[in-house]
Amino acid sequence: MYSVLVILAVIVAVLLSLVVLIQESKGGGLASNFAASNQIMGVRKTTDVVEKTTWTLAALLVVFSVASVFFAPRASEETSVAITASPAAPTAPAAPAAPAAPAAPAAPAQ
């Protein structure tokens, strides 16, 4: 489910960026190039459709993003890397031990 939501969010994000590029800004924008749709629906209708599409895609992107948080895979407690016990205190290196004396020969059995 998580993968499906991420894929849908990416698709909506790409569509949203394309629709934002189509919108007419103060300077004209790419919307002025769509003369055929302006002649069919009128300039005001085209702007309304593009604006409604932008808001719808933005809302869908928010919904998919929030929903993906709920379906995101979580790490189990067994595989956690958190340390629960306090680490042991460091110890000083041991002094070199004196060489051991040779063992005495065993006494003969009587």
Side-chain angles (χ1 to χ4, degrees):
M1 185 66 174
Y2 176 73
S3 299
V4 172
L5 288 172
V6 170
I7 291 170
L8 288 174
V10 169
I11 291 171
V12 168
V14 169
L15 289 175
L16 181 62
S17 58
L18 292 175
V19 170
V20 167
L21 286 174
I22 290 173
Q23 286 183 355
E24 184 176 352
S25 63
K26 292 179 183 177
L30 294 177
S32 60
N33 294 336
F34 294 99
S37 62
N38 286 345
Q39 291 174 354
I40 295 171
M41 298 188 306
V43 177
R44 185 64 189 154
K45 293 280 187 186
T46 305
T47 306
D48 288 344
V49 170
V50 171
E51 184 177 352
K52 288 179 183 177
T53 305
T54 303
W55 283 109
T56 303
L57 289 173
L60 279 174
L61 186 60
V62 169
V63 168
F64 289 147
S65 299
V66 171
S68 67
V69 170
F70 290 113
F71 290 106
R74 300 192 192 331
S76 65
E77 291 180 20
E78 296 170 5
T79 61
S80 177
V81 293
I83 298 173
T84 56
S86 62
T91 58
Q110 295 183 10

